[in-house]
Amino acid sequence: MEVSKEQNIIIEGRHNKPIPMDLIFKDDGKAKPVVIFCHGYKGFKDWGAWDKMGELIAEAGYFFVKFNFSHNGTSPENPTEFYQIEAFGDNNYTIELDDLQSVIDSLLLPTFKFGQHLDPSDISLIGHSRGGGITVLKSAQDKRITKLITLASVSDFGSRFPEGKKLEAWEKKGVQYIVNSRTGQQLPHHYQFYKNFKENKEKLNIKKAAQKLKIPHLIAHGSSDTSVSIGEAGNLFEWSPAPKLLLVENADHVFGVSHPWKDEEELPKEFKHVINKTIEFLNADAEDLYAEYADND
């Protein structure tokens, strides 16, 4: 059976910006475990081969969900372009946590149109890069999450901010810019980003969240990742109570994928390996996995 797709369903989040969401699933009327994917920094739900990943996971029997964070800089009208640059500048980690909460909550509403296709008792999160950090935080907070998969994930948010004179200059000017290498755009970060982090430092502590996890955690990372150090995967492996480490030889930050990605293109072997191992992990019994990791501790 081919998978069905429902694209750009709009969720009204908590921060006055729409959250576009895609659903990929087999339209067989059966309740399926839910898998929710969170994109990373300067990312979006339609980047590269994320859609293909969703199709493969859906074909394996899952209700796959991907979405754009409300302030990622895209819009429902232009889901792959950063035209909303002021929204990008206003983004922060707590907004992204709230957005993910809004997505989860919307799926579980009794009025959700596709509710008969999902099993609300079985929800897994997948997060790439910065989205990995968000999923670790949410998994520690929300008891509805049953499994966690992080792909090339960061292990600390605080270390990504400037220090000293650069931080002082940012505060004085109120904004700093980052170049989007794909488009050449100058994307703003308003100082509120740092201020919000400092005000919510404990809530945004990935280490403490990882240590509190009570679910199995698959940690995938490429050995040639130049964007996020492989040492960050080591941190998550050390902190998580029930971790499984998947080191992918010669893989970069996006496991060989680029944007745009054409449907007819063959997926890189590194990315296919990650998807296969993700499905294998999702298929395994969560309680057995957790007991296995605990026994090996």
Side-chain angles (χ1 to χ4, degrees):
M1 177 183 288
E2 286 192 10
V3 297
S4 296
K5 291 185 182 181
E6 299 289 337
Q7 295 177 300
N8 292 317
I9 296 169
I10 300 300
I11 297 168
E12 297 301 329
R14 305 179 188 180
H15 297 280
N16 303 313
K17 287 280 183 187
I19 303 169
M21 176 176 74
D22 294 347
L23 313 175
I24 309 176
F25 59 96
K26 287 182 181 177
D27 191 2
D28 55 10
K30 297 177 183 177
K32 292 167 274 292
V34 181
V35 177
I36 302 172
F37 173 74
C38 299
H39 67 73
Y41 177 57
K42 291 187 289 185
F44 41 90
K45 65 180 176 61
D46 299 302
W47 185 90
W50 295 141
D51 203 60
K52 187 63 179 176
M53 177 179 73
E55 289 178 11
L56 293 171
I57 292 175
E59 286 170 6
Y62 293 87
F63 188 91
F64 186 87
V65 180
K66 57 188 173 75
F67 67 98
N68 279 341
F69 286 112
S70 62
H71 286 63
N72 76 336
T74 68
S75 67
E77 299 76 26
N78 296 286
T80 65
E81 300 298 334
F82 295 110
Y83 292 151
Q84 303 281 337
I85 61 171
E86 284 306 301
F88 184 94
D90 290 337
N91 197 17
N92 57 51
Y93 299 126
T94 59
I95 286 177
E96 293 191 350
L97 275 172
D98 286 347
D99 287 350
L100 177 53
Q101 190 68 51
S102 294
V103 169
I104 297 169
D105 291 345
S106 73
L107 297 172
L108 303 184
L109 286 172
T111 54
F112 179 58
K113 184 178 177 181
F114 304 96
Q116 74 272 24
H117 294 288
L118 60 86
D119 177 359
S121 70
D122 194 343
I123 302 174
S124 298
L125 299 182
I126 303 179
H128 176 252
S129 193
R130 169 164 151 176
I134 295 295
T135 57
V136 173
L137 296 173
K138 184 57 66 181
S139 296
Q141 295 172 359
D142 196 326
K143 293 181 180 178
R144 295 174 297 184
I145 309 305
T146 52
K147 285 180 185 171
L148 171 63
I149 298 132
T150 52
L151 310 178
S153 178
V154 302
S155 64
D156 178 67
F157 286 146
S159 63
R160 290 176 152 72
F161 290 107
E163 297 177 326
K165 291 184 177 180
K166 286 185 178 180
L167 182 60
E168 290 172 14
W170 186 16
E171 181 179 14
K172 186 176 181 180
K173 195 172 182 182
V175 63
Q176 64 175 5
Y177 292 89
I178 184 83
V179 176
N180 181 6
S181 57
R182 183 173 66 89
T183 64
Q185 286 171 293
Q186 294 274 345
L187 298 174
H189 283 304
H190 298 142
Y191 186 71
Q192 65 79 29
F193 184 27
Y194 178 73
K195 190 175 176 183
N196 176 267
F197 171 76
K198 293 298 286 184
E199 290 169 352
N200 296 279
K201 196 172 179 181
E202 287 305 301
K203 179 182 177 182
L204 298 172
N205 188 314
I206 297 173
K207 179 179 180 178
K208 285 187 177 179
Q211 291 171 332
K212 290 178 183 176
L213 290 173
K214 291 180 168 50
I215 57 174
H217 180 187
L218 177 63
I219 304 159
H221 213 104
S223 67
S224 299
D225 190 338
T226 56
S227 299
V228 176
S229 165
I230 198 170
E232 303 211 39
N235 291 338
L236 293 173
F237 182 75
E238 179 185 343
W239 302 332
S240 294
K244 185 176 183 67
L245 187 61
L246 175 63
L247 295 181
V248 186
E249 198 66 33
N250 300 320
D252 61 10
H253 188 55
V254 286
F255 305 98
V257 178
S258 58
H259 183 83
W261 193 264
K262 296 177 182 176
D263 286 342
E264 63 271 18
E265 288 185 82
E266 178 74 13
L267 289 177
K269 66 179 188 300
E270 295 87 356
F271 192 51
K272 284 198 286 189
H273 181 61
V274 169
I275 294 171
N276 290 337
K277 288 297 183 181
T278 294
I279 293 171
E280 185 180 300
F281 178 78
L282 290 168
N283 287 342
D285 183 270
E287 290 186 8
D288 289 347
L289 281 174
Y290 196 84
E292 174 191 333
Y293 302 148
D295 289 343
N296 291 336
D297 190 16

